[in-house]
Amino acid sequence: QSVLTQPPSASGTPGQRVTISCSGSSSNIGTNTVNWYQQFPGTAPKLLIYNYSQRPSGVPDRFSGSKSGTSASLAISGLQSEDEADYYCETWDDTLNAVVFGGGTKLTVL
Amino acid sequence: QITLKESGPTLVRPTQTLTLTCTFSGFSLTTSGVGVGWIRQPPGKALEWLALIYWDDDKRYSPSLKSRLTITKDTSKNQVVLTMTSMDLVDTGTYYCAHRPSYDWFDPWGQGTLVTVSS
């Protein structure tokens, strides 16, 4: 049972906008920065969004992040087939004194 | 360019101790704010954070695994070592190390190493 709650799956058609949520609490998302990682099968996770909404160099601006209260969201606009992957949110939890990950969301491009 | 690579045994027997080494380049673990973390992923399951070590030797552990984990660094060799005692079948998975540039995120990650626990 993950501290951060993500929907196990999400889907969309090419060109659509898809949003993936990450729900936490005041001791984690409510207080600390949220990061998002993208993982393709058989490969290591890659940083996609950091500090709620910042994109590392090379990440398309189709990917955006936001936070509201104790939840964070990853939005992907202009969905492409190559976006089909697993997505994880991550932050620090002040009560657990630990890094916490969401359970992951498998994105399918129909 | 920052790179990290995990190394260690691919097969471990139940009750044994696992020792994994993360060898990195492109940064120094003596730089203020910098850390290296370990994260694992059982087959088909989610990421699970294990441990972190920072430039000042501050160490953090997963609360659920703290009694079994030890993380150390050797700055002269650019290596971070993770040991996990009392290995069990459920510890099977891919173990990753990752650079933590400023206390707040992991980037980049190593390629990962698959560890199988089996008798």
Side-chain angles (χ1 to χ4, degrees):
Chain A
Q1 195 80 345
S2 302
V3 172
L4 304 180
T5 301
Q6 296 181 236
S9 63
S11 63
T13 56
Q16 266 192 331
R17 184 177 188 271
V18 170
T19 300
I20 297 171
S21 62
C22 176
S23 178
S25 68
S26 57
S27 65
N28 44 64
I29 293 179
T31 309
N32 300 301
T33 184
V34 177
N35 312 302
W36 291 89
Y37 302 88
Q38 179 188 55
Q39 185 181 34
F40 297 106
T43 69
K46 168 193 157 187
L47 181 67
L48 191 66
I49 297 287
Y50 65 99
N51 199 15
Y52 300 117
S53 60
Q54 305 301 305
R55 285 186 307 276
S57 173
V59 174
D61 59 7
R62 302 186 297 103
F63 294 90
S64 62
S66 63
K67 172 204 159 181
S68 178
T70 58
S71 291
S73 295
L74 171 70
I76 309 171
S77 60
L79 196 62
Q80 299 180 5
S81 57
E82 55 259 41
D83 298 333
E84 191 162 285
D86 293 326
Y87 294 85
Y88 293 91
C89 57
E90 174 257 320
T91 186
W92 180 264
D93 189 290
D94 290 338
T95 298
L96 296 173
N97 199 23
V99 172
V100 289
F101 284 94
T105 298
K106 183 177 183 61
L107 175 64
T108 301
V109 181
L110 303 170
Chain B
Q1 179 193 5
I2 291 174
T3 64
L4 306 97
K5 188 172 184 178
E6 307 84 354
S7 59
T10 57
L11 179 65
V12 177
R13 306 300 181 191
T15 75
Q16 284 188 335
T17 293
L18 171 68
T19 299
L20 294 174
T21 301
C22 176
T23 303
F24 58 85
S25 64
F27 69 95
S28 173
L29 250 185
T30 61
T31 302
S32 178
V34 171
V36 170
W38 284 94
I39 304 100
R40 72 178 179 180
Q41 185 173 38
K45 296 189 177 181
L47 300 169
E48 178 184 19
W49 172 70
L50 301 176
L52 266 172
I53 190 165
Y54 287 105
W55 63 286
D56 58 356
D57 212 38
D58 182 17
K59 302 170 185 178
R60 306 297 176 99
Y61 296 101
S62 165
S64 62
L65 294 167
K66 186 174 183 177
S67 63
R68 299 173 55 203
L69 296 173
T70 303
I71 189 169
T72 60
K73 62 181 173 67
D74 186 331
T75 53
S76 66
K77 294 182 179 179
N78 280 354
Q79 290 181 333
V80 171
V81 175
L82 180 76
T83 61
M84 179 181 290
T85 61
S86 305
M87 292 293 285
D88 183 85
L89 302 182
V90 299
D91 295 314
T92 292
T94 299
Y95 287 71
Y96 298 98
C97 63
H99 173 239
R100 198 160 173 89
S102 59
Y103 293 105
D104 287 326
W105 54 84
F106 293 110
D107 180 52
W109 296 51
Q111 64 187 29
T113 185
L114 176 62
V115 178
T116 301
V117 183
S118 175
S119 55

